Amino acid sequence: MGQTIVLMGMVLSAVPVGEYDRRIVLLTRERGKISAFARGARRPGNALMAASSPFAFGQFEAYEGRSSYTVAKADISNYFRGLADEVDSAYYGFYFMEVADYYSRENADELPMLKLLYQSLRALENKSLDNRLVRRIFELKAMTINGECPNVFSCLKCQKEDGLKYFDVKSGGVFCGQCKDHGWELDDSTLYTLQYIIATRIEKLYTFTVSPKVLGKLEEIMNDTMAYYIDRKFHALQVLEENQGFSQQFSQNLRNEGQKNQ
């Protein structure tokens, strides 16, 4: 083995290998997305057991091999244990990790994606923020980092910056009322929300809330946008949506039973 290198990053995923090892995917500041082996990480009491689990963020000392890395030790500064308190928050977090994995590449500058992932997981731990809003902010900013964000600052046809009324997913942006009369209709608050998410620094992303109406419109727009631009189903998101659907149905059944008993 060669000399060790120190990488700042986060564990995106981990799978068992052999009897005691784990293969992990790390999103790092220095090398982008890499694969690494954590030898003996599944042995009880092994120092790498917690450090090789998803969400672990910190410094990883590793040896570089021909096609992968081997983690020698780790100094973890945040495990995001708060996500374990809420099932939905945990699945949102796993979904964010899958999206980061989807977009990230080896030996690329993935520092913006790493920063976005870190700040988004912190936002999920913040009880005052709506996880549904956190999800949509994360999705749009991830697309922005990858160079796929829509143009929401001027009309795609006439380039006017005022009177923007419609969002068209396939066209990749907005139109003024004179150039188009269909698509997702935008009010000023929803338009400003889209503009703010795309333009603002990652550190300032999770500093606002929106009305239920704006959040609903943002969800509609992002559902269509993600479906159009990303050709992949994310497992954590499917589980999350199934759980939410079950919870909504259970709540509705309780309300129906209460009405019958009145």
Side-chain angles (χ1 to χ4, degrees):
M1 291 187 179
Q3 292 184 336
T4 61
I5 58 174
V6 177
L7 304 167
M8 176 67 73
M10 183 181 295
V11 179
L12 298 182
S13 62
V15 295
V17 175
E19 190 172 358
Y20 294 113
D21 302 338
R22 279 180 181 160
R23 178 182 175 275
I24 64 176
V25 176
L26 278 168
L27 182 60
T28 72
R29 179 179 62 190
E30 296 81 5
R31 300 291 178 92
K33 184 176 71 174
I34 64 170
S35 295
F37 288 95
R39 306 294 184 188
R42 292 162 57 217
R43 289 181 182 275
N46 187 280
L48 292 178
M49 178 176 283
S52 61
S53 299
F55 302 123
F57 175 86
Q59 287 189 332
F60 296 82
E61 191 172 307
Y63 297 97
E64 184 176 5
R66 291 183 178 179
S67 59
S68 65
Y69 296 75
T70 299
V71 176
K73 61 182 179 179
D75 182 12
I76 304 302
S77 58
N78 198 337
Y79 289 98
F80 293 96
R81 299 192 191 279
L83 296 181
D85 296 338
E86 297 286 343
V87 174
D88 280 4
S89 295
Y91 275 107
Y92 275 117
F94 282 117
Y95 169 53
F96 293 174
M97 309 278 260
E98 287 186 74
V99 173
D101 192 354
Y102 174 83
Y103 276 130
S104 302
R105 300 290 181 268
E106 188 173 355
N107 294 320
D109 180 12
E110 300 295 353
L111 180 58
M113 185 64 73
L114 180 62
K115 289 172 64 177
L116 175 63
L117 184 58
Y118 184 87
Q119 294 295 337
S120 300
L121 295 180
R122 288 188 61 192
L124 289 176
E125 291 185 314
N126 186 342
K127 304 300 183 183
S128 65
L129 292 175
D130 188 331
N131 284 350
R132 292 163 57 205
L133 177 60
V134 174
R135 169 188 169 182
R136 302 312 176 165
I137 293 173
F138 172 82
E139 289 172 342
L140 183 53
K141 198 64 174 181
M143 294 185 70
T144 302
I145 290 171
N146 199 54
E148 294 179 343
C149 69
N151 173 18
V152 296
F153 297 95
S154 62
C155 176
L156 290 173
K157 187 173 182 180
C158 70
Q159 283 75 57
K160 284 170 52 178
E161 296 181 1
D162 56 351
L164 304 175
K165 295 294 184 183
Y166 298 97
F167 182 95
D168 186 83
V169 173
K170 293 183 179 180
S171 299
V174 295
F175 291 89
C176 70
Q178 294 179 337
C179 292
K180 196 160 189 168
D181 60 0
H182 63 276
W184 288 110
E185 190 170 356
L186 296 173
D187 56 56
D188 290 342
S189 295
T190 304
L191 176 63
Y192 177 75
T193 300
L194 293 168
Q195 292 174 337
Y196 183 85
I197 295 170
I198 290 172
T200 198
R201 293 187 298 116
I202 291 171
E203 294 81 1
K204 298 292 185 180
L205 273 179
Y206 299 105
T207 58
F208 70 96
T209 59
V210 297
S211 69
K213 178 182 177 182
V214 171
L215 178 55
K217 183 64 70 174
L218 186 62
E219 288 182 315
E220 291 173 337
I221 290 172
M222 289 310 302
N223 281 342
D224 273 9
T225 301
M226 293 289 286
Y228 184 76
Y229 285 97
I230 297 182
D231 58 347
R232 174 177 168 179
K233 299 292 185 182
F234 296 101
H235 175 70
L237 182 59
Q238 291 177 306
V239 174
L240 177 65
E241 290 176 342
E242 288 172 2
N243 287 344
Q244 290 177 337
F246 175 81
S247 297
Q248 290 171 359
Q249 184 61 52
F250 182 74
S251 298
Q252 183 62 49
N253 290 341
L254 286 179
R255 287 193 293 270
N256 292 340
E257 286 298 319
Q259 291 171 358
K260 289 179 182 178
N261 295 329
Q262 288 179 354

